[in-house]
Amino acid sequence: MTGILGRKLGMTQVFDESGRMYPVTVVEAGPCCVLQVKTKERDGYEATQIGFGEIKKEKNVTKAMKGIFSKAGSGMYRLLREFPLSDLKVGEMITVEKFQKGDVIAVSGVSKGKGFQGVMKRHNYAGGPASHGSMFYRAPGSIGASSFPSRVWKNKGMPGHMGSEVVTVKNLKVVDVRVEQNLLLILGAVPGSKGTYLEIRKEG
């Protein structure tokens, strides 16, 4: 499996040879440094830890993180994630060259926070009649039964905090790879706002 970390820069549009327009998300992907290679014998599982988003000032790094970086003999990074990658060595750099135009990928990131929302926006409830005199428009309606079970079921769709959760969008297509600029152009939208850190995995 091929994976890389990146940062969402925003959206734009590109045109193909026939003049058709495609909406794309521009992602600054890598370069990512391999910080640790975990093995089944030593750690109980196999994975490769990579870092992205270099930190310049040492005061912004905890002692535990300093230990990881000094052991790897690398720079300091803001985002650390583990991937089931293989055949990589500590200190090696992962770049967008691992991806090609037409690759199918999955992108994970923290979605935009939307604050406290009602059931119609949060759970797509239909709401009540919009006619005059209804007095029941955007409310959730009945949320429980009478004598049984005499309580509200767990996971009942209710008003509450919406967004700000890890979302994975699958089956996205790589439209273009710009190696010199460390950019991936991905067809369609990916989770989060501008500046959101992303995990990008090649599917298949």
Side-chain angles (χ1 to χ4, degrees):
M1 188 188 110
T2 301
I4 198 169
L5 300 174
R7 188 168 61 93
K8 182 175 176 178
L9 298 182
M11 292 194 71
T12 184
Q13 54 197 28
V14 295
F15 296 85
D16 63 10
E17 297 78 12
S18 64
R20 184 177 176 184
M21 185 271 287
Y22 293 94
V24 296
T25 303
V26 183
V27 176
E28 178 192 354
C32 298
C33 181
V34 176
L35 302 173
Q36 291 186 64
V37 177
K38 302 197 173 182
T39 60
K40 205 162 191 177
E41 297 76 30
R42 189 181 66 232
D43 304 289
Y45 66 101
E46 293 183 350
T48 300
Q49 186 184 68
I50 64 176
F52 172 74
E54 199 163 355
I55 299 174
K56 301 294 183 185
K57 296 181 180 178
E58 195 173 315
K59 67 173 185 176
N60 295 332
V61 180
T62 63
K63 284 185 179 179
M65 299 299 284
K66 281 179 192 175
I68 294 173
F69 299 139
S70 61
K71 193 173 180 181
S74 67
M76 299 174 292
Y77 296 93
R78 195 171 304 280
L79 182 69
L80 272 62
R81 289 291 184 272
E82 290 183 2
F83 289 88
L85 305 173
S86 58
D87 302 326
L88 293 172
K89 296 178 182 178
V90 173
E92 197 172 332
M93 301 301 286
I94 301 171
T95 66
V96 288
E97 291 180 81
K98 296 275 186 184
F99 294 85
Q100 294 178 348
K101 186 177 178 180
D103 282 347
V104 178
I105 59 173
V107 179
S108 300
V110 178
S111 62
K112 289 182 181 179
K114 299 184 184 297
F116 190 98
Q117 297 297 336
V119 291
M120 288 182 71
K121 181 167 182 174
R122 194 177 185 215
H123 299 295
N124 297 313
Y125 280 22
S131 57
H132 179 70
S134 165
M135 299 180 72
F136 170 56
Y137 297 109
R138 301 183 68 88
S142 175
I143 61 170
S146 181
S147 59
F148 180 80
S150 296
R151 61 186 172 82
V152 178
W153 288 104
K154 272 187 180 179
N155 301 319
K156 173 68 180 173
M158 301 284 279
H161 185 262
M162 183 179 176
S164 291
E165 56 188 12
V166 177
V167 176
T168 300
V169 181
K170 297 183 176 182
N171 296 320
L172 294 172
K173 191 177 178 183
V174 176
V175 174
D176 196 10
V177 180
R178 300 182 180 176
V179 179
E180 303 80 19
Q181 301 167 293
N182 296 315
L183 295 181
L184 277 179
L185 270 58
I186 301 169
L187 184 64
V190 302
S193 55
K194 290 179 183 177
T196 299
Y197 287 106
L198 303 170
E199 298 176 37
I200 302 162
R201 297 176 178 85
K202 191 188 290 188
E203 295 187 330

